[in-house]
Amino acid sequence: MASSSRPRVLVVGGGFAGLSAVRGLSGAEADLVLIDRCNHHAFQPLLYQVATAGLASPSIAAPLRHILRNQRNVTVLLGAAHSIDVDARHVDVDGVTHIYDYLVVATGSTHAYFGHDEWARYAPGLKTLEDALDIRARILTAFERAEAAEDSQDRAAWLTFLIIGGGATGVELAGTLAEIARHTLKREFRRIDPASAKILLIEAGPRVLPAFPETLSLKARQQLERLGVIVRAGRPVTHLDARGVALGDESIRARTVLWAAGVAASPLGAALGAGSDRTGRVPVTANLSIARHPEVFVAGDLACPPPECGSIPAIAPAAKQMGRYCARAIRSALAGRPLTPFRYRHHGSLATIGRMAAVADFGRIRLSGLIAWWVWLTAHVYFLIGFRNRLVVLIDWAEAYWSYRRGARIIFSAQRALDSAGAPEAGSPRQNRDARGTDPRSAPRADHA
Amino acid sequence: MASSSRPRVLVVGGGFAGLSAVRGLSGAEADLVLIDRCNHHAFQPLLYQVATAGLASPSIAAPLRHILRNQRNVTVLLGAAHSIDVDARHVDVDGVTHIYDYLVVATGSTHAYFGHDEWARYAPGLKTLEDALDIRARILTAFERAEAAEDSQDRAAWLTFLIIGGGATGVELAGTLAEIARHTLKREFRRIDPASAKILLIEAGPRVLPAFPETLSLKARQQLERLGVIVRAGRPVTHLDARGVALGDESIRARTVLWAAGVAASPLGAALGAGSDRTGRVPVTANLSIARHPEVFVAGDLACPPPECGSIPAIAPAAKQMGRYCARAIRSALAGRPLTPFRYRHHGSLATIGRMAAVADFGRIRLSGLIAWWVWLTAHVYFLIGFRNRLVVLIDWAEAYWSYRRGARIIFSAQRALDSAGAPEAGSPRQNRDARGTDPRSAPRADHA
């Protein structure tokens, strides 16, 4: 029972779904607590820009308590939810028990390696700002290592970048990496030509951007190839380690491998005891609540609504719609009003590929190339509303566009990356007038894993 | 002997001194190699803005190889120099031997804890971008912990910030912290009042800013106190641990302690075998070279020139002058020209305190308050020339000025900080309707140390 007369709403996760749920309850006669492991909301669609050194992290993130400072019925707490008791109606957060009347679980998804968890350390995925900084450090360090490499095989391995997974994230990373190699780093190295870097996009299925119509997949592939990306579709990765990957009997040597292939729902979903689908998502009713617990909602990437809600992609607008629906559902319950089921409304799909290259699918209207890129740019700057950084992002982008420079090429952990590279072979100190740097056999990535 | 006919110049350290030495040799008939542990040059005078979440790291840093992309006679290598053999004329960099004809060592300084190295984990200093992000995480996490604290003593300890050392860095940190507590975080918390935070600036000597004239020290103290900082001068710290500090028989409980008290020269100086002064600086001749080795130069904070060079403070303009002098000395040696000794030219001292508060000492002209702050602002934006980010910095500052917001309030390691805080006392799960967060006894700082 509540010690206060106002019902208590607990929201776990401050991503698009959780934040929309909290905002949707603005002014409601309820006490809200928002719990997140991070102090900030990150604008996930632009994470790849942080990973590729185009934007600084603060440009795409804002503190949750700052975003919610004027909503007086919400308390923001930094913490990690560990277990949920839906019968007793409480959640354990770092050893402290939080009781709720209504619960919204919106902890999203994480990377999945299809049963090969050992691949994670060699091929990081991109879900958080920390992931983005890790990937940024790996990409920039790879070019540094190539510059210092002593033999051509090593140099080639440092200059080969594999992106596993041809969905939107993989396509964005590959296109932007190609731009960095061909343009951003031009003239900055003395021993290597960054433009000689090989960027391979590897997709297990038959085509990139499988969620898009086939014609747009083809356009995307053509645009990638024009940017210098080598697209390899139709062959899954069978092995992956520090030296590179194998696609069946073909092996590719590469020091930098990025994972954009699979996602699994957040493990907190299992704590609800409501079952899960193949990727760990929690089955919910058309009201987005779990069976037998109309007071427990699941929203965003973690939720698996029934087919009558529509076919729901794992994108920000879908998470926001679900979050807002949960708020409406709680308001209805508080007022004793009936509730219509959740229906997802799809407004279109966008994927950017690189400089002036993108595809857009609005049902009957399908765009690609420059016009799709402008639509993408406008939409993303528009949806950064609420962040103070739109102007800064625009300036960074305008400058990047005109000069090909990328403003955030800072490795924070360079020294740690070097330390983990270890010493060269014992007993073979090298006299090297050309000073071809550090031991090229050890990857910096071990440090980051 | 050189395998190429051009003499080889090795510069270790890409700070103000090293970078100035390299730039001063632009176009010279020599092959330069610049070695740094980081991939970037950081504009150190603004590090405190990154530490206090006012600026994103990329706004005050740029990749060394980008800065030097058009200087074709220099190769930039990421690496750490470990030992120097001045007789054989080579430097070991991560196990690879680099031979030189001329060497410039400019590896600067690090924190010194006056024989109490164990204090480092409780009281981080501010010398690198990584330090700045560590301090930022501690400051922001402290307010999060205070919001979650269960008893008033703990809350008070999380809301007490000690800055040890009343030099320029300590004064900047204290003044900016006061602004954050009083203004930036206003309205964002529900259980604590951030404005109730205590910010103490502790100086062992009799006054803050001891390098300034006494009248300006007094003005600085008045401005600090107006901003809400408690200044404690005249008593050194005698003990320091996770719970706070002791000043003789007085102890102050605080969860966040920042170190701005002492610096020691980089340990690489000792590798030159040329002796050192009390703080580890390397004694050099009036030509900035070490005794018996006119081809080995030391510049910046690591150098201890003789009195006839002038009284040289550890500030960026002095490091730049020394770096440029080394370049001139090497050019003279290459051309067989005579060389005049190094003379430091002091243009003035500036210290910012906070919003519209600063002091400036130009010899006969002494300024404080708003006008000194404008001088400081103009000078720092001007000297960011060469960084692409001046416009972004200006926008961030203009916005911070008008709204008191700070754009970079992002904790990257929130989860790790929480993890290190551990579980609450065994056997005492708390039922807490008010959900006063995580175990307040464990500091996040252990994670960062």
Side-chain angles (χ1 to χ4, degrees), chain A residues 241-292:
Chain A
D241 64 23
R243 285 160 306 175
V245 307
L247 311 173
D249 51 6
E250 181 193 4
S251 74
I252 303 173
R253 257 198 96 189
R255 286 293 204 169
T256 312
V257 184
L258 307 179
W259 190 260
V263 291
S266 147
L268 195 66
L272 289 167
S276 69
D277 77 350
R278 192 178 45 86
T279 60
R281 294 186 307 164
V282 178
V284 290
T285 68
N287 292 338
L288 302 189
S289 59
I290 62 172
R292 289 186 311 282

Side-chain angles (χ1 to χ4, degrees), chain A residues 142-165:
Chain A
F143 287 100
E144 298 290 337
R145 294 306 180 106
E147 177 84 339
E150 293 201 309
D151 78 67
S152 59
Q153 269 206 321
D154 277 319
R155 197 173 305 124
W158 282 117
L159 286 176
T160 304
F161 297 84
L162 306 182
I163 294 102
I164 318 285

Side-chain angles (χ1 to χ4, degrees), chain B residues 218-425:
Chain B
L218 189 66
K219 295 268 191 194
R221 180 173 182 144
Q222 286 165 352
Q223 293 179 74
L224 281 166
E225 285 170 347
R226 210 148 42 219
L227 288 166
V229 175
I230 303 161
V231 178
R232 302 289 299 271
R235 296 180 72 185
V237 171
T238 50
H239 182 77
L240 196 163
D241 64 23
R243 284 160 306 176
V245 307
L247 311 173
D249 51 5
E250 181 193 3
S251 72
I252 304 173
R253 260 199 92 190
R255 286 293 203 171
T256 312
V257 184
L258 308 179
W259 190 260
V263 292
S266 147
L268 194 65
L272 289 167
S276 68
D277 76 350
R278 193 178 44 85
T279 61
R281 294 185 307 164
V282 178
V284 290
T285 67
N287 291 340
L288 302 188
S289 59
I290 61 173
R292 291 187 308 283
H293 288 282
E295 77 284 4
V296 177
F297 298 89
V298 184
D301 287 0
L302 183 60
C304 179
E308 65 259 36
C309 294
S311 167
I312 309 178
I315 59 176
K320 285 189 195 172
Q321 289 180 31
M322 286 192 256
R324 279 196 297 264
Y325 179 87
C326 292
R328 218 159 52 232
I330 292 168
R331 281 183 187 274
S332 296
L334 291 177
R337 284 196 306 263
L339 183 69
T340 54
F342 173 71
R343 288 282 301 168
Y344 169 63
R345 278 205 262 173
H346 190 67
H347 299 296
S349 302
L350 282 164
T352 182
I353 294 159
R355 215 175 163 65
M356 297 184 285
V359 290
D361 174 22
F362 300 108
R364 270 168 306 178
I365 300 170
R366 293 174 183 175
L367 308 170
S368 71
L370 182 59
I371 185 168
W373 185 74
W374 273 109
V375 171
W376 175 87
L377 191 72
T378 309
H380 282 72
V381 170
Y382 176 78
F383 283 114
L384 269 170
I385 285 179
F387 290 86
R388 73 154 215 343
N389 348 48
R390 254 174 316 155
L391 194 56
V392 171
V393 169
L394 268 183
I395 290 171
D396 277 353
W397 278 355
E399 210 220 349
Y401 183 82
W402 293 114
S403 71
Y404 288 98
R405 285 182 204 165
R406 301 185 73 77
R409 283 168 44 205
I410 307 302
I411 310 175
F412 293 115
S413 49
Q415 188 45 41
R416 268 182 287 146
L418 284 167
D419 289 348
S420 77
E425 219 161 350

Side-chain angles (χ1 to χ4, degrees), chain B residues 14-21 41-45 315-317 319-320 323 383 387:
Chain B
F16 286 108
L19 194 54
S20 298
H41 170 79
F43 191 79
Q44 280 201 357
I315 59 176
K320 285 189 195 172
F383 283 114
F387 290 86

